[in-house]
Amino acid sequence: MKCKVLVLTFFFIIIGFNLSEAQMVPAIYVFGDSLVDVGNNNYLKLSLAKADLPHYGIDFPNQKANGRFTNGMNAADFLAERVGLPTSPPYFSLVDDSNKNNNVSFLKGVSFASGGARILDGTDPYVFQSIHLTQQIDYFSTVYEDLYKQLGSSGVKNHLSKSIFAIVIGSNDILGYFRSSDLQNKTTPHQYVDSMVLSLKDKLKRLHSFGARKFVIVGIGTIGCCPARRTETKNEECREEINFWSIKYNKGLISMLQELKTDLKDIHYSYFDTYKVLLDFIQRPATYGFVEVKAACCGLGTLKAEIFCLPIAAYCSNRSEYIFFDRVHPTEAAHRIFVNHIFDGSLQYTFPINVKQLVAI
């Protein structure tokens, strides 16, 4: 009996060692939009941007809609998996009234991402309610206070300096500009894109002031080529004007990050070129196992992209062969490939280093 106890003890020590070895960072703090929302919008009563109905989540382990705007896991899940952490839970799930008497911990990370979120403040009339980036960082400030109480000054500084701060946002700003005649009358697209970059720079500095040192910054993809935008053109082609300004924003973002590194020498970042990867999906789909590049897997109307994925909508059975699950959001298969590139991809898609190299610093 004593021998069995010793064997079991040794077994659990080994397992515990392997788990801690697999965990590459203390935590991931996620900021962004629906591409990485893991359920925050489900807590927003007025929001129309929710993924809480079938057939969202159909390939998730429990096969239920859970707030992720895809058929299964999204990039936030896969990134956490790659660094040996559980998915950072939605912030509102931790501060909800049902958690009042529970010991809530933010030590492994938390997600503030919200479907419909923008870099620039303001309410998107097509969504009605979402948590924009300024507010997300406001919520992080309360998390910082909690961590400070738990860890103390030097402890929280060490914890946050080693943690990953993932920023996935900007698409809604670009799309919002091109569907708002008011914005287009007030400012040129060039001015608007510049304001996005400057605003994000200020927000990154604010996170730095709290102790953030390692950033994963994701650029805007070929959003002019998503199924919803293709339905707005002749012959179901991409909306190139939207793609053009997405590229302009990404270039401005890269320049800003280089400047920020000069100003704040203790920060490190990995920029991911979503645009280039998504364009490669579209141009060379077979390389990645995709077959359908234009239509959504789930939805209604032309390209299944005129109406979002609703319970009455038809959905495809071969979801891993589709780039897009609904009219604007990628499938789980696409999310997985994105994160594989983000984590250990080459300089072709990540700059100046990938996430694997980032966490080793």
Side-chain angles (χ1 to χ4, degrees), residues 337-351:
I337 299 170
F338 285 145
V339 171
N340 286 342
H341 281 303
I342 289 171
F343 187 75
D344 53 15
S346 67
L347 286 177
Q348 182 183 1
Y349 301 124
T350 58
F351 175 84

Side-chain angles (χ1 to χ4, degrees), residues 231-286:
T231 63
E232 300 166 353
T233 67
K234 292 181 179 179
N235 303 320
E236 299 171 352
E237 297 300 324
C238 300
R239 281 194 62 181
E240 294 303 341
E241 186 180 24
I242 292 176
N243 282 345
F244 177 84
W245 289 106
S246 297
I247 293 171
K248 288 292 185 183
Y249 167 76
N250 289 339
K251 287 182 177 178
L253 174 57
I254 291 170
S255 296
M256 179 270 282
L257 291 171
Q258 291 171 321
E259 291 171 7
L260 197 63
K261 175 65 176 170
T262 301
D263 295 340
L264 306 173
K265 292 181 172 54
D266 58 349
I267 71 162
H268 304 279
Y269 70 89
S270 176
Y271 167 81
F272 177 62
D273 194 340
T274 317
Y275 191 99
K276 193 178 289 185
V277 174
L278 191 49
L279 186 63
D280 206 32
F281 286 178
I282 294 166
Q283 294 177 342
R284 301 190 306 137

Side-chain angles (χ1 to χ4, degrees), residues 63-109:
Q63 297 184 315
K64 292 182 179 179
N66 49 58
R68 290 164 175 81
F69 292 78
T70 187
N71 55 302
M73 295 196 289
N74 67 23
D77 298 298
F78 289 124
L79 182 58
E81 187 179 84
R82 292 303 300 264
V83 298
L85 284 169
T87 297
S88 300
Y91 174 73
F92 289 131
S93 72
L94 299 178
V95 298
D96 187 58
D97 287 344
S98 61
N99 264 323
K100 271 184 178 178
N101 300 319
N102 296 335
N103 291 321
V104 173
S105 175
F106 302 110
L107 286 172
K108 296 286 187 181

Side-chain angles (χ1 to χ4, degrees), residues 20-38:
S20 63
E21 189 177 45
Q23 184 179 319
M24 303 172 76
V25 294
I28 300 180
Y29 298 96
V30 182
F31 303 81
D33 54 30
S34 55
L35 292 174
V36 283
D37 188 350
V38 291

Side-chain angles (χ1 to χ4, degrees), residues 122-176:
T123 301
D124 185 340
Y126 290 83
V127 177
F128 292 121
Q129 187 185 25
S130 58
I131 309 303
H132 297 303
L133 189 54
T134 298
Q135 184 64 62
Q136 291 182 31
I137 298 174
D138 287 344
Y139 286 134
F140 176 75
S141 70
T142 67
V143 168
Y144 174 83
E145 292 172 8
D146 187 89
L147 291 171
Y148 186 92
K149 289 175 184 176
Q150 282 185 269
L151 303 174
S153 178
S154 60
V156 72
K157 181 179 179 181
N158 183 60
H159 174 80
L160 294 178
S161 70
K162 295 178 180 179
S163 297
I164 292 293
F165 286 74
I167 318 287
V168 184
I169 201 164
S171 298
N172 292 311
D173 295 87
I174 296 289
L175 293 173

Side-chain angles (χ1 to χ4, degrees), residues 286-329:
T287 305
Y288 301 94
F290 296 123
V291 174
E292 179 55 64
V293 302
K294 291 185 177 182
C297 168
C298 182
L300 295 166
T302 304
L303 298 178
K304 291 186 183 176
E306 292 181 28
I307 298 177
F308 273 104
C309 181
L310 298 172
I312 60 170
Y315 63 92
C316 64
S317 59
N318 53 335
R319 292 178 285 281
S320 64
E321 296 180 358
Y322 279 68
I323 296 174
F324 294 96
F325 180 65
D326 68 14
R327 65 199 302 264
V328 294
H329 299 107

Side-chain angles (χ1 to χ4, degrees), residues 187-199:
T187 182
T188 67
H190 196 287
Q191 291 169 333
Y192 186 78
V193 163
D194 284 349
S195 68
M196 287 172 61
V197 172
L198 288 173
S199 180

